[in-house]
Amino acid sequence: MRRRAKRRFYTAAESAEIWDRWRRGEGLKSIGRVFGKHSSSIFNHLSPSGGIQRLRRRRSQLALTLAEREEISRGLVDGRSLRQIAYGLGRAPSTISREVARNGGMGPYRAAASDRQAWASSTAPQAL
């Protein structure tokens, strides 16, 4: 029985170099030679995104921040109304109301869990 070689994934730096070389127009074989890999390995690294590098995910400037979510949580614990919390944050009351309703309601609302849920449910960015 033939043993398979252990699969080695590319580090972030190696991946960045592969994408940089690909953007400059180098071929799969020449990129593979630099890393001591077959061109098929380079192809398999580039092909899931169609040869177009995806942007890094980042939050919209319009989205609530973790600090704002913590302020919402503290406001709810202090017994402030959603309108008072919204005014303090400079946000619309409907934004605060939707945020609280989406994440369990007035009693069980937790800032960190809400922030994780928001990041998980956000869409990945589109390619350049």
Side-chain angles (χ1 to χ4, degrees):
M1 182 182 220
R2 216 172 120 197
R3 294 187 74 169
R4 275 193 161 169
K6 186 174 181 181
R7 196 166 183 190
R8 182 178 89 66
F9 293 98
Y10 297 106
T11 65
E14 289 172 332
S15 179
E17 186 174 349
I18 289 171
W19 281 109
D20 186 47
R21 288 174 178 275
W22 179 249
R23 242 188 327 276
R24 288 191 314 233
E26 286 189 37
L28 296 174
K29 283 187 179 184
S30 66
I31 297 172
R33 270 188 237 114
V34 171
F35 293 97
K37 299 293 233 166
H38 292 283
S39 61
S40 61
S41 173
I42 304 301
F43 176 82
N44 290 334
H45 186 72
L46 300 172
S47 66
S49 62
I52 301 172
Q53 188 175 12
R54 295 193 181 268
L55 298 173
R56 290 179 53 96
R57 286 182 67 185
R58 62 176 186 258
R59 291 183 191 251
S60 167
Q61 293 178 346
L62 302 175
L64 289 170
T65 63
L66 178 57
E68 289 175 317
R69 287 186 169 96
E70 288 172 348
E71 187 59 36
I72 292 169
S73 183
R74 282 192 292 273
L76 292 173
V77 169
D78 291 344
R80 287 187 277 156
S81 72
L82 295 179
R83 284 187 177 277
Q84 289 172 328
I85 296 169
Y87 180 76
L89 292 174
R91 294 284 194 155
S94 60
T95 300
I96 306 306
S97 175
R98 283 194 309 269
E99 171 69 12
V100 171
R102 184 182 306 122
N103 293 289
M106 301 278 246
Y109 182 83
R110 296 293 175 263
S114 300
D115 196 59
R116 279 192 304 273
Q117 175 62 31
W119 181 253
S121 66
S122 69
T123 60
Q126 300 300 309
L128 290 173

